[in-house]
Coordinates of all heavy atoms in Angstrom, one line a residue:
M1 N -7.2 13.9 -19.8 CA -6.5 12.9 -19.0 C -5.6 13.6 -17.9 O -5.1 14.7 -18.2 CB -5.6 12.0 -19.8 CG -6.4 11.3 -20.9 SD -7.2 9.9 -20.2 CE -6.1 8.6 -20.7
Y2 N -5.5 13.0 -16.8 CA -4.6 13.5 -15.8 C -3.6 12.4 -15.4 O -4.0 11.2 -15.3 CB -5.4 13.9 -14.5 CG -6.3 15.0 -14.8 CD1 -7.6 14.8 -15.2 CD2 -5.8 16.3 -14.7 CE1 -8.5 15.9 -15.4 CE2 -6.7 17.4 -14.9 CZ -8.0 17.2 -15.3 OH -8.8 18.3 -15.5
K3 N -2.4 12.8 -15.1 CA -1.4 11.8 -14.6 C -1.1 12.3 -13.2 O -0.8 13.4 -12.9 CB -0.1 11.9 -15.4 CG 1.0 10.9 -14.9 CD 2.2 11.0 -15.7 CE 2.0 10.1 -16.9 NZ 3.3 9.8 -17.6
V4 N -1.2 11.3 -12.3 CA -0.9 11.6 -10.9 C 0.3 10.8 -10.5 O 0.4 9.6 -10.6 CB -2.1 11.2 -10.0 CG1 -1.9 11.5 -8.5 CG2 -3.4 11.9 -10.5
K5 N 1.3 11.5 -9.9 CA 2.5 10.9 -9.4 C 2.4 10.8 -7.9 O 2.3 11.9 -7.3 CB 3.7 11.7 -9.9 CG 3.9 11.7 -11.4 CD 5.1 12.6 -11.7 CE 5.2 12.6 -13.2 NZ 6.4 13.4 -13.7
V6 N 2.5 9.6 -7.4 CA 2.3 9.4 -5.9 C 3.6 8.9 -5.3 O 4.2 7.9 -5.8 CB 1.2 8.4 -5.6 CG1 1.0 8.2 -4.1 CG2 -0.1 8.8 -6.3
Y7 N 4.1 9.6 -4.3 CA 5.3 9.2 -3.6 C 5.0 8.8 -2.2 O 4.4 9.6 -1.4 CB 6.3 10.4 -3.6 CG 6.6 11.0 -4.9 CD1 5.8 12.0 -5.5 CD2 7.7 10.5 -5.6 CE1 6.1 12.5 -6.7 CE2 8.0 11.1 -6.9 CZ 7.2 12.1 -7.4 OH 7.5 12.6 -8.7
I8 N 5.3 7.6 -1.8 CA 5.0 7.0 -0.5 C 6.3 6.7 0.2 O 7.2 6.0 -0.4 CB 4.1 5.8 -0.6 CG1 2.8 6.1 -1.4 CG2 3.8 5.2 0.7 CD1 2.0 4.9 -1.8
T9 N 6.4 7.2 1.4 CA 7.6 6.9 2.2 C 7.3 6.5 3.6 O 6.2 6.9 4.1 CB 8.5 8.2 2.3 OG1 7.8 9.3 2.8 CG2 9.1 8.6 0.9
L10 N 8.2 5.8 4.3 CA 7.9 5.5 5.7 C 8.1 6.7 6.5 O 8.9 7.6 6.2 CB 9.0 4.4 6.1 CG 8.8 3.0 5.6 CD1 10.0 2.2 6.0 CD2 7.6 2.4 6.1
R11 N 7.3 6.8 7.5 CA 7.4 7.9 8.5 C 8.8 7.9 9.1 O 9.4 6.9 9.3 CB 6.3 7.9 9.5 CG 5.0 8.1 8.9 CD 3.9 8.2 10.0 NE 2.7 8.5 9.3 CZ 1.7 9.1 9.9 NH1 1.7 9.4 11.1 NH2 0.6 9.3 9.2
E12 N 9.3 9.1 9.5 CA 10.6 9.2 10.1 C 10.7 8.3 11.3 O 11.8 7.8 11.6 CB 10.9 10.6 10.4 CG 11.2 11.5 9.2 CD 12.5 11.0 8.4 OE1 13.5 10.6 9.1 OE2 12.5 11.1 7.2
S13 N 9.7 8.2 12.0 CA 9.7 7.4 13.3 C 9.7 5.9 13.1 O 9.9 5.1 14.0 CB 8.5 7.8 14.2 OG 7.3 7.5 13.5
V14 N 9.5 5.4 11.9 CA 9.5 4.0 11.6 C 10.8 3.5 11.1 O 11.4 4.1 10.2 CB 8.4 3.7 10.5 CG1 8.4 2.2 10.1 CG2 7.0 4.1 11.0
L15 N 11.3 2.4 11.7 CA 12.6 1.9 11.2 C 12.5 1.3 9.8 O 11.4 0.8 9.4 CB 13.0 0.7 12.2 CG 13.3 1.1 13.6 CD1 13.6 -0.2 14.4 CD2 14.5 2.0 13.7
D16 N 13.6 1.5 9.0 CA 13.6 1.1 7.6 C 14.7 0.1 7.4 O 15.8 0.4 7.0 CB 13.8 2.3 6.7 CG 13.7 2.0 5.3 OD1 13.5 0.8 4.9 OD2 13.7 2.9 4.5
P17 N 14.5 -1.2 7.8 CA 15.5 -2.2 7.6 C 16.0 -2.4 6.2 O 17.2 -2.6 6.0 CB 14.9 -3.5 8.1 CG 13.5 -3.3 8.2 CD 13.2 -1.8 8.3
Q18 N 15.2 -2.2 5.2 CA 15.6 -2.3 3.8 C 16.5 -1.1 3.5 O 17.6 -1.3 2.8 CB 14.4 -2.3 2.9 CG 14.7 -2.6 1.4 CD 13.5 -2.6 0.6 OE1 12.4 -2.3 1.0 NE2 13.6 -3.1 -0.7
G19 N 16.2 0.0 3.9 CA 17.1 1.2 3.7 C 18.4 1.0 4.4 O 19.5 1.4 3.8
T20 N 18.4 0.5 5.6 CA 19.7 0.2 6.3 C 20.5 -0.8 5.6 O 21.8 -0.6 5.5 CB 19.3 -0.3 7.7 OG1 18.5 0.6 8.4 CG2 20.6 -0.6 8.5
A21 N 19.9 -1.8 5.0 CA 20.7 -2.8 4.2 C 21.3 -2.2 2.9 O 22.4 -2.4 2.6 CB 19.8 -4.0 3.8
V22 N 20.5 -1.3 2.3 CA 21.0 -0.6 1.1 C 22.2 0.3 1.4 O 23.2 0.4 0.7 CB 19.9 0.1 0.3 CG1 20.4 1.0 -0.8 CG2 18.9 -0.9 -0.2
K23 N 22.0 1.0 2.5 CA 23.1 1.9 3.0 C 24.3 1.2 3.2 O 25.4 1.6 2.8 CB 22.6 2.6 4.3 CG 23.7 3.5 4.9 CD 23.2 3.9 6.3 CE 24.4 4.3 7.2 NZ 24.0 4.5 8.6
G24 N 24.2 0.0 3.9 CA 25.4 -0.8 4.2 C 26.1 -1.3 2.9 O 27.3 -1.3 2.8
S25 N 25.3 -1.7 2.0 CA 25.8 -2.2 0.7 C 26.5 -1.0 -0.1 O 27.6 -1.2 -0.7 CB 24.7 -2.7 -0.2 OG 24.2 -3.9 0.4
L26 N 25.9 0.2 -0.1 CA 26.5 1.3 -0.8 C 27.9 1.6 -0.1 O 28.9 1.9 -0.8 CB 25.6 2.5 -0.7 CG 24.4 2.4 -1.7 CD1 23.4 3.5 -1.4 CD2 24.8 2.4 -3.1
Q27 N 27.9 1.6 1.2 CA 29.1 1.9 1.9 C 30.2 0.9 1.6 O 31.4 1.2 1.5 CB 28.9 2.1 3.4 CG 28.1 3.4 3.7 CD 27.8 3.6 5.1 OE1 27.8 2.7 5.9 NE2 27.5 4.8 5.5
T28 N 29.8 -0.4 1.5 CA 30.7 -1.5 1.2 C 31.3 -1.3 -0.2 O 32.4 -1.6 -0.5 CB 30.0 -2.8 1.3 OG1 29.5 -3.0 2.6 CG2 30.9 -4.0 0.9
L29 N 30.5 -0.7 -1.1 CA 31.0 -0.4 -2.5 C 31.8 0.8 -2.5 O 32.3 1.2 -3.6 CB 29.8 -0.3 -3.4 CG 29.0 -1.6 -3.7 CD1 27.7 -1.2 -4.4 CD2 29.8 -2.5 -4.5
G30 N 32.1 1.4 -1.4 CA 33.0 2.6 -1.4 C 32.3 3.9 -1.3 O 32.9 5.0 -1.4
Y31 N 31.0 4.0 -1.3 CA 30.2 5.2 -1.2 C 30.1 5.6 0.3 O 29.0 5.6 0.8 CB 28.9 5.1 -1.9 CG 29.0 4.8 -3.4 CD1 28.8 3.5 -3.8 CD2 29.4 5.7 -4.3 CE1 28.9 3.2 -5.2 CE2 29.5 5.4 -5.6 CZ 29.3 4.2 -6.0 OH 29.5 3.9 -7.4
S32 N 31.2 6.0 0.9 CA 31.2 6.2 2.3 C 30.4 7.5 2.7 O 30.1 7.7 3.9 CB 32.6 6.3 2.9 OG 33.3 7.3 2.2
S33 N 30.1 8.4 1.7 CA 29.5 9.6 2.0 C 28.0 9.4 2.3 O 27.3 10.3 2.7 CB 29.7 10.6 0.9 OG 29.1 10.1 -0.3
V34 N 27.4 8.2 2.0 CA 26.0 7.9 2.2 C 25.8 7.8 3.7 O 26.3 6.9 4.3 CB 25.6 6.7 1.4 CG1 24.1 6.3 1.8 CG2 25.8 6.8 -0.1
E35 N 25.0 8.7 4.2 CA 24.7 8.7 5.7 C 23.4 8.0 6.0 O 23.2 7.5 7.1 CB 24.7 10.1 6.2 CG 26.0 10.8 6.2 CD 26.0 12.1 6.9 OE1 25.1 12.4 7.7 OE2 27.0 12.8 6.7
D36 N 22.4 8.0 5.1 CA 21.1 7.4 5.4 C 20.4 7.0 4.1 O 20.6 7.7 3.0 CB 20.2 8.3 6.2 CG 19.0 7.6 6.8 OD1 19.1 6.4 7.0 OD2 18.0 8.3 7.1
V37 N 19.6 6.0 4.1 CA 18.8 5.6 2.9 C 17.4 5.3 3.4 O 17.3 4.5 4.4 CB 19.4 4.4 2.2 CG1 18.5 3.9 1.1 CG2 20.8 4.7 1.6
R38 N 16.4 5.8 2.8 CA 15.0 5.5 3.1 C 14.4 4.9 1.8 O 14.5 5.6 0.8 CB 14.2 6.7 3.6 CG 14.8 7.4 4.8 CD 14.6 6.6 6.1 NE 13.2 6.6 6.5 CZ 12.8 6.0 7.6 NH1 13.6 5.4 8.3 NH2 11.5 6.0 7.9
I39 N 13.8 3.8 1.9 CA 13.1 3.2 0.8 C 11.6 3.6 0.7 O 11.0 3.6 1.8 CB 13.3 1.6 0.8 CG1 14.7 1.2 0.9 CG2 12.6 1.0 -0.3 CD1 15.6 1.5 -0.3
G40 N 11.1 3.9 -0.4 CA 9.7 4.2 -0.6 C 9.2 3.6 -1.9 O 9.7 2.8 -2.5
K41 N 8.0 4.1 -2.2 CA 7.3 3.6 -3.4 C 6.9 4.8 -4.3 O 6.6 5.9 -3.8 CB 6.0 2.9 -3.0 CG 6.2 1.6 -2.2 CD 4.9 1.0 -1.9 CE 4.3 1.6 -0.6 NZ 3.1 0.9 -0.2
Y42 N 6.9 4.6 -5.6 CA 6.5 5.6 -6.5 C 5.4 4.9 -7.4 O 5.6 3.8 -7.9 CB 7.7 6.0 -7.4 CG 7.3 6.9 -8.6 CD1 6.9 8.2 -8.4 CD2 7.3 6.4 -9.8 CE1 6.6 9.0 -9.4 CE2 6.9 7.2 -10.9 CZ 6.6 8.5 -10.7 OH 6.2 9.3 -11.8
L43 N 4.3 5.6 -7.6 CA 3.2 5.1 -8.4 C 2.8 6.2 -9.4 O 2.8 7.4 -9.0 CB 2.0 4.7 -7.6 CG 2.2 3.6 -6.5 CD1 2.5 4.2 -5.2 CD2 0.9 2.8 -6.4
E44 N 2.3 5.8 -10.6 CA 1.7 6.7 -11.5 C 0.3 6.3 -11.8 O 0.1 5.1 -12.2 CB 2.5 6.8 -12.8 CG 3.8 7.5 -12.7 CD 4.5 7.7 -14.1 OE1 3.9 7.3 -15.1 OE2 5.5 8.3 -14.1
L45 N -0.6 7.2 -11.6 CA -2.0 6.9 -11.9 C -2.4 7.7 -13.1 O -2.0 8.9 -13.2 CB -2.9 7.2 -10.7 CG -2.5 6.7 -9.4 CD1 -3.4 7.3 -8.3 CD2 -2.6 5.2 -9.4
T46 N -3.2 7.2 -14.0 CA -3.8 7.9 -15.1 C -5.3 8.0 -14.9 O -5.9 6.9 -14.8 CB -3.4 7.3 -16.5 OG1 -2.0 7.2 -16.6 CG2 -4.0 8.1 -17.6
L47 N -5.8 9.2 -14.8 CA -7.3 9.3 -14.6 C -7.9 10.0 -15.8 O -7.3 10.9 -16.3 CB -7.5 10.2 -13.3 CG -6.8 9.6 -12.0 CD1 -7.1 10.6 -10.9 CD2 -7.4 8.3 -11.7
N48 N -9.1 9.7 -16.1 CA -9.7 10.3 -17.2 C -10.3 11.7 -16.8 O -10.5 11.9 -15.6 CB -10.8 9.4 -17.9 CG -11.9 9.1 -17.0 OD1 -12.4 9.9 -16.2 ND2 -12.3 7.8 -17.0
E49 N -10.7 12.5 -17.7 CA -11.1 13.8 -17.4 C -12.5 13.8 -16.8 O -13.0 14.8 -16.3 CB -11.1 14.7 -18.6 CG -11.9 14.3 -19.8 CD -11.2 13.3 -20.7 OE1 -9.9 13.2 -20.6 OE2 -11.8 12.7 -21.6
R50 N -13.2 12.7 -16.8 CA -14.5 12.6 -16.1 C -14.4 12.5 -14.6 O -15.4 12.6 -13.9 CB -15.3 11.4 -16.7 CG -15.7 11.6 -18.1 CD -16.6 10.5 -18.6 NE -16.1 9.2 -18.3 CZ -15.3 8.4 -19.1 NH1 -15.0 8.9 -20.3 NH2 -14.9 7.2 -18.8
T51 N -13.2 12.3 -14.1 CA -13.0 12.2 -12.7 C -13.3 13.5 -12.0 O -12.7 14.5 -12.3 CB -11.6 11.8 -12.3 OG1 -11.3 10.6 -13.0 CG2 -11.4 11.6 -10.9
E52 N -14.3 13.5 -11.1 CA -14.6 14.8 -10.4 C -13.8 14.9 -9.2 O -13.5 13.9 -8.5 CB -16.1 14.8 -10.1 CG -17.0 15.0 -11.3 CD -18.4 15.1 -10.9 OE1 -18.7 15.8 -9.9 OE2 -19.3 14.6 -11.7
N53 N -13.4 16.1 -8.8 CA -12.6 16.3 -7.6 C -11.4 15.4 -7.5 O -11.3 14.5 -6.6 CB -13.4 16.3 -6.4 CG -12.7 17.1 -5.2 OD1 -11.5 17.4 -5.3 ND2 -13.5 17.4 -4.2
I54 N -10.5 15.5 -8.4 CA -9.3 14.6 -8.5 C -8.5 14.6 -7.2 O -8.1 13.6 -6.7 CB -8.4 15.0 -9.7 CG1 -9.2 14.8 -11.0 CG2 -7.1 14.3 -9.7 CD1 -8.5 15.3 -12.2
D55 N -8.3 15.8 -6.6 CA -7.6 15.9 -5.4 C -8.2 15.0 -4.3 O -7.5 14.2 -3.6 CB -7.5 17.3 -4.9 CG -6.5 17.5 -3.8 OD1 -5.3 17.2 -4.1 OD2 -6.8 18.0 -2.8
Q56 N -9.5 15.1 -4.1 CA -10.2 14.2 -3.1 C -10.1 12.8 -3.5 O -9.8 11.9 -2.6 CB -11.6 14.7 -3.0 CG -12.4 13.8 -1.9 CD -13.8 14.3 -1.8 OE1 -14.2 15.3 -2.4 NE2 -14.6 13.5 -1.1
A57 N -10.2 12.4 -4.7 CA -10.2 11.0 -5.2 C -8.8 10.4 -4.9 O -8.7 9.3 -4.4 CB -10.5 10.9 -6.6
V58 N -7.7 11.2 -5.2 CA -6.4 10.7 -5.0 C -6.1 10.5 -3.5 O -5.6 9.5 -3.0 CB -5.3 11.6 -5.6 CG1 -3.9 11.1 -5.2 CG2 -5.5 11.6 -7.1
Q59 N -6.6 11.4 -2.7 CA -6.4 11.3 -1.2 C -7.1 10.0 -0.7 O -6.5 9.3 0.1 CB -6.9 12.5 -0.5 CG -6.0 13.7 -0.6 CD -6.5 14.9 0.2 OE1 -7.2 14.8 1.2 NE2 -6.1 16.1 -0.2
E60 N -8.3 9.8 -1.2 CA -9.1 8.6 -0.7 C -8.4 7.3 -1.2 O -8.3 6.4 -0.4 CB -10.5 8.7 -1.3 CG -11.4 9.7 -0.6 CD -12.7 9.8 -1.2 OE1 -13.1 9.0 -2.2 OE2 -13.5 10.6 -0.8
M61 N -7.8 7.3 -2.4 CA -7.1 6.1 -2.9 C -5.9 5.8 -2.0 O -5.6 4.7 -1.7 CB -6.7 6.3 -4.3 CG -7.8 6.2 -5.4 SD -7.1 6.4 -7.0 CE -8.0 7.8 -7.6
C62 N -5.2 6.9 -1.7 CA -4.0 6.7 -0.9 C -4.3 6.3 0.5 O -3.7 5.3 1.1 CB -3.2 8.0 -0.8 SG -2.4 8.4 -2.4
D63 N -5.3 6.9 1.1 CA -5.7 6.5 2.5 C -6.3 5.1 2.6 O -6.1 4.4 3.6 CB -6.7 7.5 3.1 CG -6.1 8.9 3.4 OD1 -4.9 8.9 3.6 OD2 -6.8 9.9 3.4
K64 N -7.1 4.7 1.6 CA -7.8 3.4 1.6 C -6.9 2.2 1.2 O -7.2 1.1 1.6 CB -9.1 3.5 0.8 CG -10.1 4.4 1.4 CD -11.4 4.4 0.6 CE -12.4 5.3 1.2 NZ -13.7 5.3 0.4
L65 N -6.0 2.5 0.2 CA -5.3 1.3 -0.4 C -3.8 1.5 -0.6 O -3.0 0.7 -0.3 CB -6.0 1.0 -1.7 CG -5.3 -0.2 -2.5 CD1 -5.5 -1.5 -1.7 CD2 -5.9 -0.3 -3.9
L66 N -3.4 2.6 -1.2 CA -2.1 2.8 -1.7 C -1.0 3.0 -0.6 O 0.1 2.5 -0.7 CB -2.0 3.9 -2.7 CG -2.9 3.8 -3.9 CD1 -2.8 5.1 -4.8 CD2 -2.6 2.6 -4.7
A67 N -1.4 3.6 0.5 CA -0.5 3.9 1.6 C -1.1 3.4 2.9 O -2.3 3.3 3.0 CB -0.2 5.4 1.7
N68 N -0.2 3.0 3.8 CA -0.6 2.6 5.1 C -0.5 3.8 6.0 O 0.7 4.1 6.4 CB 0.2 1.4 5.6 CG -0.2 1.0 7.0 OD1 -0.9 1.7 7.8 ND2 0.3 -0.2 7.4
P69 N -1.5 4.6 6.3 CA -1.4 5.8 7.0 C -0.8 5.7 8.5 O -0.4 6.7 9.0 CB -2.8 6.4 7.1 CG -3.7 5.2 6.8 CD -2.9 4.2 6.0
V70 N -0.7 4.5 9.0 CA -0.2 4.3 10.3 C 1.3 4.5 10.3 O 2.0 5.0 11.2 CB -0.6 2.9 10.9 CG1 0.1 2.7 12.2 CG2 -2.1 2.8 11.0
I71 N 2.0 4.0 9.2 CA 3.4 4.0 9.1 C 4.0 4.7 7.9 O 5.2 4.9 7.8 CB 4.0 2.5 9.1 CG1 3.5 1.7 7.9 CG2 3.7 1.8 10.4 CD1 4.3 0.4 7.7
E72 N 3.1 5.2 7.0 CA 3.6 5.8 5.8 C 3.0 7.2 5.6 O 1.9 7.5 6.0 CB 3.3 5.0 4.6 CG 4.0 3.6 4.5 CD 3.6 2.7 3.4 OE1 2.3 2.7 3.1 OE2 4.4 2.1 2.8
D73 N 3.8 8.1 5.0 CA 3.4 9.4 4.5 C 3.3 9.3 3.0 O 4.0 8.5 2.4 CB 4.4 10.5 5.0 CG 4.4 10.7 6.5 OD1 3.3 10.6 7.1 OD2 5.5 10.9 7.0
Y74 N 2.5 10.2 2.5 CA 2.5 10.3 1.0 C 2.3 11.7 0.6 O 1.9 12.6 1.3 CB 1.4 9.4 0.4 CG 0.0 9.8 0.8 CD1 -0.7 10.8 0.0 CD2 -0.7 9.3 1.9 CE1 -2.0 11.2 0.4 CE2 -2.0 9.7 2.2 CZ -2.6 10.6 1.5 OH -3.9 11.0 1.8
R75 N 2.7 11.9 -0.7 CA 2.5 13.2 -1.3 C 2.2 12.9 -2.8 O 2.6 11.8 -3.3 CB 3.6 14.2 -1.2 CG 4.9 13.8 -1.8 CD 6.0 14.8 -1.6 NE 7.3 14.4 -2.2 CZ 7.6 14.5 -3.4 NH1 6.8 15.1 -4.3 NH2 8.8 14.1 -3.9
Y76 N 1.6 13.8 -3.5 CA 1.3 13.5 -4.9 C 1.3 14.8 -5.7 O 1.2 15.9 -5.2 CB 0.0 12.7 -5.1 CG -1.2 13.4 -4.5 CD1 -1.9 14.4 -5.2 CD2 -1.6 13.2 -3.2 CE1 -3.0 15.0 -4.6 CE2 -2.6 13.8 -2.6 CZ -3.4 14.7 -3.3 OH -4.4 15.3 -2.7
E77 N 1.5 14.6 -7.0 CA 1.5 15.7 -8.0 C 0.5 15.4 -9.1 O 0.5 14.2 -9.6 CB 2.8 15.9 -8.6 CG 3.9 16.2 -7.6 CD 5.3 16.1 -8.2 OE1 5.4 15.8 -9.4 OE2 6.3 16.3 -7.5
I78 N -0.4 16.3 -9.4 CA -1.4 16.1 -10.5 C -1.0 16.9 -11.7 O -0.7 18.1 -11.6 CB -2.8 16.5 -10.0 CG1 -3.2 15.7 -8.8 CG2 -3.8 16.3 -11.2 CD1 -4.5 16.1 -8.1
E79 N -0.8 16.2 -12.8 CA -0.5 16.9 -14.1 C -1.5 16.7 -15.1 O -2.0 15.5 -15.2 CB 0.9 16.4 -14.6 CG 2.0 16.6 -13.7 CD 3.3 15.9 -14.2 OE1 3.2 15.2 -15.3 OE2 4.4 16.1 -13.6
E80 N -1.9 17.7 -15.8 CA -2.8 17.5 -16.9 C -2.0 16.9 -18.1 O -1.0 17.4 -18.4 CB -3.5 18.8 -17.3 CG -4.7 18.6 -18.1 CD -5.6 19.8 -18.1 OE1 -5.4 20.7 -17.3 OE2 -6.6 19.8 -18.9
S81 N -2.4 15.8 -18.6 CA -1.7 15.2 -19.7 C -2.4 15.3 -21.0 O -3.6 15.4 -21.1 CB -1.5 13.7 -19.3 OG -1.9 12.8 -20.2
V82 N -1.6 15.4 -22.1 CA -2.1 15.6 -23.4 C -2.5 14.2 -23.9 O -1.8 13.2 -23.9 CB -1.1 16.2 -24.3 CG1 -1.6 16.3 -25.7 CG2 -0.6 17.5 -23.8
A83 N -3.8 14.1 -24.4 CA -4.3 12.8 -25.0 C -3.5 12.5 -26.2 O -3.1 13.3 -27.1 CB -5.7 12.9 -25.3
Q84 N -3.2 11.2 -26.4 CA -2.4 10.7 -27.6 C -3.3 10.0 -28.5 O -4.2 9.3 -28.3 CB -1.2 9.9 -27.1 CG -0.3 10.7 -26.3 CD 1.0 10.0 -26.1 OE1 1.3 9.0 -26.7 NE2 1.8 10.5 -25.2

């Protein structure tokens, strides 16, 4: 089995109104040292060992469904997981 951790974030050039709102709230709570907040997504995928070319499969999943390549960037980590 493989566990894939996928991190999806808005591109730097894309405005993040949700991040701006969270930043404002944190500063209102007294966390004045917060200069910027960017909101993203985190996903965990579990793939079986029969999956061929895991790297290519994950890239295709991200490009076709999980991330919007026009406004989002992604990165991922593949870990071999111990079967339970």
Side-chain angles (χ1 to χ4, degrees):
M1 301 280 258
Y2 295 93
K3 180 180 278 191
V4 181
K5 298 177 180 181
V6 182
Y7 304 88
I8 302 171
T9 55
L10 288 172
R11 292 186 176 205
E12 287 296 322
S13 61
V14 176
L15 294 176
D16 186 356
Q18 188 177 10
T20 301
V22 170
K23 173 188 158 190
S25 296
L26 288 169
Q27 289 179 340
T28 299
L29 290 171
Y31 299 102
S32 58
S33 62
V34 176
E35 292 188 18
D36 194 25
V37 175
R38 302 287 290 178
I39 302 294
K41 297 182 273 186
Y42 170 75
L43 299 93
E44 283 188 2
L45 309 172
T46 303
L47 305 175
N48 63 42
E49 58 273 348
R50 293 187 307 266
T51 305
E52 291 187 34
N53 199 346
I54 293 172
D55 194 56
Q56 180 181 351
V58 172
Q59 285 183 25
E60 288 176 2
M61 287 183 237
C62 289
D63 288 336
K64 291 180 179 180
L65 178 68
L66 302 178
N68 179 345
V70 174
I71 62 169
E72 295 174 320
D73 291 321
Y74 65 86
R75 66 180 176 82
Y76 56 88
E77 302 167 0
I78 301 171
E79 300 175 354
E80 201 161 349
S81 126
V82 178
Q84 298 191 11

